[in-house]
């Protein structure tokens, strides 16, 4: 890029002239997941030249983790592209030919996407009986009707009564239970099966929400999450291909792996720590010692920056926000972090020599008959396996072999993560034998599972609006620091101050926040992560548009 010529009396644009006389803004992105890569890609493509990504682990991708076993690719993290109309992840996949191998059966438009829409789900009880298909269909219709009611509290501004405790789980269980019990056409035995199915459906919903229980998910806010229209897709060659496409235009030198961050020192005017940091790093050029932000890494390196985009998960923020930021975050941001929810959803892949399930079965759903009247979905540690809601049949077998994909969430998922593979494989096999009534089901030949909850770099799978939180908390979480009324005006005046040697309020947007938990409508999704990264990049592109135009 060519710099513009600077005339001696050119003071019409103090922002661009001040920066031209100095240097390009230094931007550090923390995290090489979808949000971080999207932000860095947009910044580099817009003309920024001083961009660094710091990634704590030894790989890029964050909560996208595709594992290749034999000829098949299994997703420990993100699996589906949820919707196609305007979805940036879908367009990346489509434009790069990643969906060409996707079968019609994988283009499910159902709210709960399975790997195949062919065949039927088998709802089995712990007594080894299959619930009749007509009973399942009747219950499913009722559940979906009530589920639609949960959306109306936000979408139509319906008031939440005290009995619901503003909880999706409490409301759904109460309404469905009352309707089941009041149905004059069902026998007591059928009613009891349907009452037990309530808990199983709520377990599935908890896995979808990545909550410990739907009792913890806010009823008044549940309907704000927005589903993108269009089919749901998988990427046969692995979701990691989306990550690789985003990283393709990012020079390798930009991404530093195995570079965990210890602390972000920001807001120079109130943090004497910055002086200590600068003194500690005597190799820093003088102009760097005046930086507004320093990123302190675990390896003791201090990296000066003008802007830091933090893309770590909400789980990491919950655990580390007190030590990760100096000075500490403003109280309203801390409150937002504490009020919003994140928990763990894990997968358990079991590979068998031969299928023991019928060709029409696309999933095995576990219905515990003794839970018909249960109010809680929390179990003693030794009964963690009761939180496994289902096993999906991976489809097509020509691609995956004979593999089941199990789902477990919440505190029980964390207990599962502590167990060894042998214990989990044995436990799942016994469970399958019990529910199918087939004592001859062999142990799987191979097991693969995720562990998002206990991983210190993630501490959970994805976010949700917890009871007591709202979309306003998502906005507060996403708000850059320090708070400023008009970013561009403040920067312009700050540059004037630097030119004429008088002080002015500090550089705005020193610390910015990105990631799925910061997107108000699309939290918990890959497209929410991508869009949030692009959003923060856009803020900086707008702030420095004069500089970027000048250098183009």
């Amino acid at each position: 890029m060519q710099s513009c010529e600077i005339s001696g009396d050119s003071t019409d644009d103090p922002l661009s002239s001040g920066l031209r006389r100095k240097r390009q803004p230094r931007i550090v992105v923390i995290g090489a997941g979808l949000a971080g890569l999207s932000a860095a890609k947009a910044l580099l493509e817009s003309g920024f030249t001083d961009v660094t990504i710091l990634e704590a682990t030894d790989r890029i991708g964050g909560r996208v983790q595709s594992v290749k076993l034999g000829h098949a690719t299994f997703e420990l993290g993100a699996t589906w592209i949820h919707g196609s109309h305007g979805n940036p992840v879908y367009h990346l996949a489509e434009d790069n030919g990643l969906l060409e191998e996707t079968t019609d059966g994988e283009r499910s438009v159902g709210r709960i996407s399975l790997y195949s829409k062919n065949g039927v789900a088998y709802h089995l009880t712990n007594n080894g009986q299959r619930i009749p298909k007509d009973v399942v269909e009747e219950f499913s219709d009722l559940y979906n009707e009530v589920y639609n009611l949960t959306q109306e509290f936000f979408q139509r501004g319906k008031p939440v009564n005290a009995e619901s405790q503003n909880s999706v789980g409490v409301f759904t269980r109460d309404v469905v239970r009352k309707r089941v019990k009041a149905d004059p056409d069902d026998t007591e035995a059928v009613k009891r099966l349907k009452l037990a199915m309530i808990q199983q459906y709520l377990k599935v919903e908890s896995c979808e929400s990545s909550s410990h229980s739907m009792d913890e998910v806010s009823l008044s806010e549940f309907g704000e999450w927005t589903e993108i229209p269009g089919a749901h897709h998988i990427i046969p060659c692995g979701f990691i291909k989306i990550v690789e496409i985003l990283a393709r235009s990012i020079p390798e030198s930009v991404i530093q792996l195995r570079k965990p961050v210890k602390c972000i020192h920001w807001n120079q005017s109130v943090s004497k720590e910055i002086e200590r940091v600068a003194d500690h790093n005597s190799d820093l050029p003088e102009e760097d010692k005046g930086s507004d932000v320093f990123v302190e890494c675990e390896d003791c390196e201090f990296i000066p920056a003008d802007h830091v985009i933090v893309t770590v998960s909400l789980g990491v923020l919950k655990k580390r926000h007190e030590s990760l930021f100096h000075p500490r975050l403003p109280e309203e941001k801390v409150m937002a972090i504490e009020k919003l929810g994140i928990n763990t959803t894990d997968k358990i892949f079991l590979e068998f020599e031969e299928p023991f399930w019928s060709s029409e079965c696309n999933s095995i759903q576990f219905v515990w008959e003794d839970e018909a009247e249960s109010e809680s979905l929390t179990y003693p540690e030794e009964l963690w396996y009761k939180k496994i809601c289902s096993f999906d049949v991976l489809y097509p077998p020509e691609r995956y072999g004979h593999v089941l994909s199990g789902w477990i969430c919440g505190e029980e998922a964390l207990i599962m993560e502590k167990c060894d593979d042998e214990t989990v494989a044995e436990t799942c096999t016994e469970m399958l034998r019990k529910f199918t009534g087939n004592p001859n089901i062999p142990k799987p030949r191979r097991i693969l599972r995720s562990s998002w909850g206990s991983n210190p770099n993630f501490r959970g799978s994805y976010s949700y609006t917890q009871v007591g939180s709202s979309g306003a908390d998502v906005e507060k979480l996403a708000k850059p620091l320090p708070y400023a009324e008009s970013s561009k005006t403040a920067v312009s005046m700050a540059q004037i101050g630097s030119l004429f040697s008088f002080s002015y309020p500090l550089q705005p947007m020193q610390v910015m926040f990105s990631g799925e938990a910061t997107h108000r409508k699309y939290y918990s999704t890959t497209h929410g992560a991508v869009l949030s990264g692009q959003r923060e990049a856009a803020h900086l592109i707008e702030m420095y548009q004069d500089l970027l135009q000048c250098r183009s």
Side-chain angles (χ1 to χ4, degrees):
M1 292 187 296
Q2 297 284 329
S3 294
C4 297
E5 294 183 1
I6 307 174
S7 63
D9 58 354
S10 177
T11 57
D12 293 336
D13 186 359
L15 170 61
S16 58
S17 63
L19 287 173
R20 285 200 307 274
R21 295 181 187 183
K22 292 188 173 182
R23 50 168 171 70
Q24 270 243 344
R26 298 159 301 191
I27 303 167
V28 174
V29 179
I30 299 178
L34 291 173
L37 293 173
S38 297
K41 181 176 185 290
L43 291 168
L44 291 166
E45 289 178 348
S46 295
F48 288 91
T49 59
D50 196 340
V51 179
T52 302
I53 301 176
L54 304 179
E55 168 55 46
T57 71
D58 60 358
R59 63 177 183 85
I60 63 173
R63 283 167 276 177
V64 175
Q65 189 175 10
S66 305
V67 176
K68 194 170 181 62
L69 293 178
H71 299 294
T73 301
F74 300 93
E75 306 291 2
L76 291 180
T79 302
W80 289 281
I81 301 172
H82 291 288
S84 55
H85 299 175
N87 185 333
V89 179
Y90 169 80
H91 291 300
L92 281 173
E94 182 71 10
D95 294 345
N96 288 274
L98 302 183
L99 304 179
E100 292 174 358
E101 296 179 36
T102 305
T103 68
D104 289 340
E106 290 161 335
R107 295 171 184 254
S108 168
V109 294
R111 182 176 59 81
I112 300 177
S113 296
L114 300 176
Y115 287 85
S116 169
K117 68 179 181 181
N118 297 328
V120 295
Y122 278 35
H123 286 74
L124 309 178
T125 74
N126 55 298
N127 293 318
Q129 302 297 315
R130 180 184 173 188
I131 300 176
K133 188 177 178 181
D134 61 330
V135 174
V136 173
E137 290 176 346
E138 289 172 6
F139 179 81
S140 184
D141 288 343
L142 170 59
Y143 180 87
N144 288 333
E145 181 182 339
V146 176
Y147 174 86
N148 290 334
L149 294 178
T150 66
Q151 309 293 290
E152 295 182 357
F153 290 93
F154 179 85
Q155 294 173 357
R156 299 188 182 180
K158 289 176 60 175
V160 175
N161 60 34
E163 288 76 15
S164 72
Q165 300 175 40
N166 194 24
S167 158
V168 173
V170 173
F171 172 83
T172 302
R173 190 164 49 243
D174 182 56
V175 174
V176 174
R177 188 172 281 169
K178 286 178 180 177
R179 294 192 185 185
V180 167
K181 291 181 177 181
D183 191 332
D185 298 325
D186 282 344
T187 64
E188 289 304 311
V190 168
K191 287 181 180 180
R192 187 160 184 83
L193 283 176
K194 289 183 177 179
L195 290 173
M197 289 174 69
I198 295 173
Q199 301 294 63
Q200 194 276 331
Y201 272 58
L202 287 174
K203 289 177 191 178
V204 172
E205 204 73 63
S206 296
C207 285
E208 291 239 319
S209 293
S210 193
S211 61
H212 171 68
S213 162
M214 292 307 291
D215 291 8
E216 299 178 358
V217 179
S218 172
L219 178 62
S220 60
E221 305 298 318
F222 195 48
E224 185 166 18
W225 187 89
T226 303
E227 185 167 8
I228 291 180
H232 295 206
H233 301 263
I234 66 156
I235 301 175
C237 55
F239 214 103
I240 196 67
K241 294 297 181 183
I242 295 292
V243 174
E244 292 170 359
I245 290 167
L246 290 173
R248 191 182 294 162
S249 60
I250 301 175
E252 287 187 17
S253 60
V254 168
I255 304 175
Q256 298 186 36
L257 300 178
R258 302 179 189 87
K259 195 75 170 177
V261 170
K262 181 178 181 180
C263 185
I264 301 164
H265 303 271
W266 63 287
N267 206 352
Q268 184 179 10
S269 66
V270 297
S271 178
K272 295 297 183 183
E273 187 71 12
I274 294 294
E275 296 177 12
R276 183 189 71 78
V277 169
D279 292 339
H280 176 92
N281 208 337
S282 58
D283 294 334
L284 285 175
E286 282 303 314
E287 66 178 33
D288 287 348
K289 292 183 179 181
S291 295
D292 290 299
V293 189
F294 276 88
V295 179
E296 180 182 358
C297 300
E298 292 286 357
D299 62 5
C300 297
E301 182 181 2
F302 293 85
I303 301 174
D306 298 294
H307 308 281
V308 175
I309 302 178
V310 179
T311 75
V312 301
S313 73
L314 176 61
V316 171
L317 289 176
K318 282 179 175 290
K319 183 70 175 180
R320 295 191 53 204
H321 71 81
E322 288 189 2
S323 63
L324 189 58
F325 300 93
H326 190 279
R328 294 178 58 175
L329 297 175
E331 189 60 27
E332 76 162 4
K333 193 175 287 288
V334 171
M335 289 297 294
I337 290 170
E338 292 177 349
K339 288 199 293 183
L340 291 168
I342 185 171
N343 215 295
T344 302
T345 294
D346 277 327
K347 300 177 189 176
I348 306 170
F349 294 101
L350 303 177
E351 181 186 21
F352 294 88
E353 292 282 356
E354 298 292 336
F356 60 81
W357 53 90
S358 71
S359 59
E360 74 160 4
C361 175
N362 68 12
S363 73
I364 297 171
Q365 309 285 323
F366 298 124
V367 179
W368 294 86
E369 292 191 57
D370 59 351
E371 293 182 353
E373 298 294 338
S374 295
E375 297 296 331
S376 172
L377 285 176
T378 298
Y379 302 96
E381 187 167 328
E382 66 274 13
L383 298 180
W384 63 265
Y385 55 85
K386 294 191 74 172
K387 198 65 167 290
I388 300 175
C389 62
S390 63
F391 275 95
D392 291 336
V393 178
L394 295 206
Y395 176 89
E398 292 79 17
R399 180 190 300 149
Y400 296 109
H402 309 300
V403 177
L404 297 179
S405 174
W407 299 87
I408 185 171
C409 65
E411 300 307 308
E412 291 77 11
L414 291 175
I415 298 170
M416 183 276 295
E417 291 180 11
K418 296 176 184 177
C419 299
D420 58 37
D421 282 353
E422 182 70 16
T423 299
V424 175
E426 286 183 0
T427 302
C428 290
T429 303
E430 286 302 317
M431 200 169 168
L432 288 165
R433 289 170 180 167
K434 181 183 186 73
F435 279 80
T436 61
N438 178 3
N440 299 317
I441 293 175
K443 283 181 61 177
R445 60 184 290 190
R446 183 156 51 186
I447 179 172
L448 176 69
R449 57 199 172 111
S450 60
S451 56
W452 297 110
S454 57
N455 189 317
N457 296 306
F458 302 101
R459 299 190 181 277
S461 299
Y462 41 85
S463 64
Y464 64 94
T465 46
Q466 193 167 236
V467 172
S469 68
S470 69
D473 293 308
V474 178
E475 297 287 344
K476 291 173 185 175
L477 177 60
K479 195 173 180 181
L481 297 173
Y483 299 145
E485 290 300 319
S486 172
S487 296
K488 189 175 180 187
T489 300
V491 173
S492 298
M493 294 305 295
Q495 294 300 332
I496 291 174
S498 69
L499 290 173
F500 297 103
S501 301
F502 62 82
S503 62
Y504 196 81
L506 289 165
Q507 176 98 322
M509 294 199 279
Q510 293 174 24
V511 185
M512 308 168 77
F513 295 84
S514 178
E516 52 84 14
T518 70
H519 199 292
R520 186 163 181 163
K521 293 199 306 180
Y522 299 144
Y523 58 85
S524 80
T525 67
T526 55
H527 52 273
V530 169
L531 289 168
S532 73
Q534 294 173 346
R535 176 195 68 213
E536 297 310 303
H539 290 331
L540 293 176
I541 292 166
E542 179 183 12
M543 175 188 286
Y544 292 106
Q545 61 183 326
D546 300 323
L547 169 69
L548 297 171
Q549 289 170 3
C550 177
R551 289 182 177 270
S552 61

